[in-house]
Amino acid sequence: MHCPFCGAEDTKVIDSRLVADGDQVRRRRECLSCSERFTTFESAELVMPRIVKRDGTREPFNEDKLRSGLQRALEKRPVSTEEIEAGISRIMHRLRSSGEREVPSRTVGEEVMRELRSMDAVAYVRFASVYRDFQDVSEFQDEIRRLKNSRRDDDAVTTSEPRKRGG
């Protein structure tokens, strides 16, 4: 680390501690040339994949776009800001852990639908109607039917437990 005062290359770490809930390391340093002290912060650089749009153009991942899309779908729905932020974190974690440098925008849309489906059924159908470009009421009905069937299947899986035989 270069000294910000004299530009020397040799500095030593005097103290290190975790900050920001353990997401950063604060280091107190001293320049070996001029003896000035300064503080640096170190954090992991987590690179999100680039997004490949339908027309083939590529753009950097934009967390604000993701947040605004979720908030628009969840507008006036009983979902807390904490739940929305947790959903954003899960989506970003899944995209990051895919290991891909680029992902199709369709993948991001599917991840958003996955989160909305577990958060709020109305918001899910709202988002799906725009995302899948519903053209008439029958497409809404089909999506609602699929949602009901999948929830019924989910409920059957979570509520069915093997019965114990009496003894």
Side-chain angles (χ1 to χ4, degrees):
M1 171 63 71
H2 291 274
C3 172
F5 302 102
C6 72
E9 290 183 27
D10 290 332
T11 61
K12 72 176 180 179
V13 175
I14 299 169
D15 181 45
S16 290
R17 54 181 77 168
L18 291 175
V19 293
D21 295 328
D23 292 336
Q24 280 187 332
V25 178
R26 176 186 181 272
R27 298 191 195 284
R28 193 73 182 134
R29 296 176 179 269
E30 182 178 0
C31 176
L32 298 176
S33 295
C34 69
S35 298
E36 289 287 340
R37 292 183 175 193
F38 58 98
T39 302
T40 59
F41 292 90
E42 179 182 316
S43 60
E45 182 180 11
L46 302 172
V47 179
M48 291 298 296
R50 291 182 61 79
I51 306 303
V52 181
K53 301 187 74 147
R54 289 180 185 169
D55 65 3
T57 59
R58 286 158 169 74
E59 65 181 40
F61 177 84
N62 186 335
E63 185 177 344
D64 291 335
K65 262 176 127 172
L66 174 63
R67 181 174 286 103
S68 109
L70 279 167
Q71 287 173 333
R72 210 168 318 127
L74 289 160
E75 192 171 330
K76 297 185 181 181
R77 298 300 305 154
V79 178
S80 71
T81 304
E82 291 78 19
E83 289 176 271
I84 295 171
E85 290 303 316
I88 291 168
S89 292
R90 285 189 295 270
I91 292 169
M92 290 177 62
H93 174 75
R94 286 193 296 267
L95 292 173
R96 205 180 299 115
S97 62
S98 74
E100 298 296 326
R101 290 183 148 179
E102 295 182 335
V103 295
S105 59
R106 179 171 198 79
T107 301
V108 178
E110 294 297 327
E111 289 295 339
V112 169
M113 290 196 4
R114 177 178 173 183
E115 282 300 319
L116 286 172
R117 180 181 236 182
S118 66
M119 285 183 196
D120 185 90
V122 172
Y124 168 78
V125 173
R126 269 185 194 166
F127 186 86
S129 70
V130 174
Y131 181 70
R132 293 191 177 146
D133 193 27
F134 290 179
Q135 297 298 312
D136 58 39
V137 175
S138 67
E139 292 182 75
F140 277 94
Q141 292 169 326
D142 292 343
E143 191 63 39
I144 291 168
R145 198 173 301 111
R146 276 194 295 273
L147 181 61
K148 282 182 177 179
N149 289 339
S150 73
R151 286 188 178 234
R152 198 174 304 125
D153 292 345
D154 291 347
D155 289 344
V157 168
T158 57
T159 58
S160 67
E161 294 180 10
R163 294 185 183 195
K164 294 181 182 176
R165 294 185 179 211

